[in-house]
Amino acid sequence: MNSAAQAAPPASDYVDRKRHLWLFSLLVPCTALIGPLMYMLVSPKLLWLWMPTLFSYTVIPLLDALIGEDRSNPPEEAVPALEADRYYRYVTYALVPILWLSFLVSVIFLGTHELPWHGTLAVVLAAGGTLGYGLNLGHEMGHKKTTLERWLAKITLALGFYGHFFVEHNRGHHRDVATPADPASARMGESIYRFVFREMPGAFFRAWDLEAERLDRCGKSVWSLDNEIIQPALISIALYATLIAILGLDIIPALLLIAFWGAFQLTQANYIEHYGLLRQQLPNGRYERCQPWHSWNSNHLFSNWALFHLQRHSDHHAHPTRRYQSLRDFPDLPRLPNGYFGMYLVAYFPPLWFKLMDKRLLAAVGRDPARINFEPAKRDRLMRQYALGDSGHAQPDTEVVA
């Protein structure tokens, strides 16, 4: 597969046309504030509370379809200057207080207003969406090496009690991605509802094991304050305890639901990002290095503006330390037909997801079953359903990875 980046203008002439459009990464998460503010300041209509969720799951997919894709890349000679430009970092820094404000306003609104169950649900979904944007921001900054960015990542992840992602993603998912060992890589034939019961607990236990191993090598206790899972967890405990003390015990169910829905935003992203793709196992039992074609890619403009180029996931996994503004598209990648928000909707209906994605998966891997990460219980049925011949490479049962 040709992995060369598409042609780009000379570095001296390069201008990032999306420079100011990255501000959408600040504006879209602010939509969670619209419902409570409109309800309190304009009129107490429950429809206001549903606006953030309706925007995410209807307006954004439509904008992606209408605006289309951008496959342009910055020239490699321009990347050092592009990544050194602090404007792009300031955009991510600015999102941290926005996310905290959105979360706190949503929770306090729930704790101080009598709402019917569907009004409460609307605010829970919007607040959980805020945590989803926080996980995305934690993902972007958690890969960076500066102390400030790494701590901002932990502070943001603490909003949803999901600080273990800082460890799990960087040292677990990136190591095991697109292999049977990875709980965060969905398998062909696996529904999102089955996936969530494998991904959420698997991610936490893998993170804890990885951090325990690191601390043991350093001669420190797993319960040390150097534990990078405990650090954000303490922030979470302080935050949630304060909210419960102020708003009362009745706020606990809402907090739990918001935290779950926030975590589910990550689950559904993981589900679509590597669905069915498999790295090849080498004769020594390890897996080949992760390449751009081991991730599903999307260049849809609006959702990429809202998600710091998360959807250029192929380049991210091949080059994890690249900053969002310099992530590239490559030719011949597995491509999603819409941005993430549109694909989330499809994933909620497994028969529709399988109908849309299974044939795309087969085309992406050249119908080679040795390059497919099958749901084990469905492998034989899928082989028959799609008339796949045995390539002679059985899917490995081992969980040895590079």
Side-chain angles (χ1 to χ4, degrees), residues 239-268:
L239 170 63
Y240 281 53
T242 301
L243 289 171
I244 293 168
I246 294 172
L247 300 172
L249 296 177
D250 289 345
I251 200 64
I252 293 177
L255 286 173
L256 293 176
L257 288 171
I258 291 170
F260 171 78
W261 188 244
F264 189 73
Q265 306 309 295
L266 172 65
T267 294
Q268 60 189 7

Side-chain angles (χ1 to χ4, degrees), residues 274-318:
H274 306 282
Y275 176 76
L277 298 172
L278 179 68
R279 286 154 60 194
Q280 297 294 284
Q281 193 169 24
L282 303 175
N284 63 3
R286 297 179 179 272
Y287 284 91
E288 64 178 316
R289 180 181 176 183
C290 185
Q291 299 292 341
W293 51 89
H294 293 128
S295 306
W296 289 94
N297 211 57
S298 171
N299 289 302
H300 291 85
L301 276 168
F302 191 87
S303 50
N304 263 311
W305 295 337
L307 296 173
F308 293 117
H309 254 163
L310 175 68
Q311 299 174 157
R312 285 197 168 180
H313 211 63
S314 297
D315 195 20
H316 167 70
H317 265 279

Side-chain angles (χ1 to χ4, degrees), residues 129-163:
T130 294
L131 299 186
Y133 290 113
L135 281 161
N136 182 53
L137 180 63
H139 170 263
E140 170 64 25
M141 294 197 294
H143 275 290
K144 305 307 177 281
K145 296 181 179 180
T146 70
T147 301
L148 174 61
E149 286 174 294
R150 291 172 69 83
W151 266 105
L152 287 176
K154 295 174 186 177
I155 290 169
T156 305
L157 294 172
L159 278 174
F161 239 115
Y162 221 74

Side-chain angles (χ1 to χ4, degrees), residues 15 23 27 54 178 187 190 208 211 216 234 237 281 293 295 323 366:
V15 175
L23 294 176
L27 296 177
L54 291 173
R187 299 161 177 170
E190 182 177 33
W208 188 262
E211 189 64 355
D216 184 62
L234 291 175
I237 291 169
Q281 193 169 24
W293 51 89
S295 306
R323 293 185 178 271

Side-chain angles (χ1 to χ4, degrees), residues 94-147:
L95 185 54
V96 177
I98 290 174
L99 293 171
W100 271 75
L101 178 65
S102 296
F103 174 78
L104 291 173
V105 167
S106 298
V107 173
I108 293 171
F109 177 79
L110 283 174
T112 54
H113 290 77
E114 291 290 334
L115 299 171
W117 70 267
H118 47 91
T120 299
L121 176 62
V123 180
V124 165
L125 294 178
T130 294
L131 299 186
Y133 290 113
L135 281 161
N136 182 53
L137 180 63
H139 170 263
E140 170 64 25
M141 294 197 294
H143 275 290
K144 305 307 177 281
K145 296 181 179 180
T146 70
T147 301

Side-chain angles (χ1 to χ4, degrees), residues 52-114:
T53 301
L54 291 173
F55 179 79
S56 293
Y57 288 98
T58 59
V59 176
I60 293 181
L62 286 173
L63 288 174
D64 274 341
L66 292 172
I67 299 174
E69 300 181 71
D70 172 30
R71 298 187 180 182
S72 64
N73 295 327
E76 282 304 294
E77 296 81 3
V79 168
L82 191 63
E83 298 217 343
D85 188 339
R86 300 191 69 84
Y87 163 80
Y88 297 97
R89 301 188 198 186
Y90 294 151
V91 173
T92 60
Y93 299 168
L95 185 54
V96 177
I98 290 174
L99 293 171
W100 271 75
L101 178 65
S102 296
F103 174 78
L104 291 173
V105 167
S106 298
V107 173
I108 293 171
F109 177 79
L110 283 174
T112 54
H113 290 77
E114 291 290 334

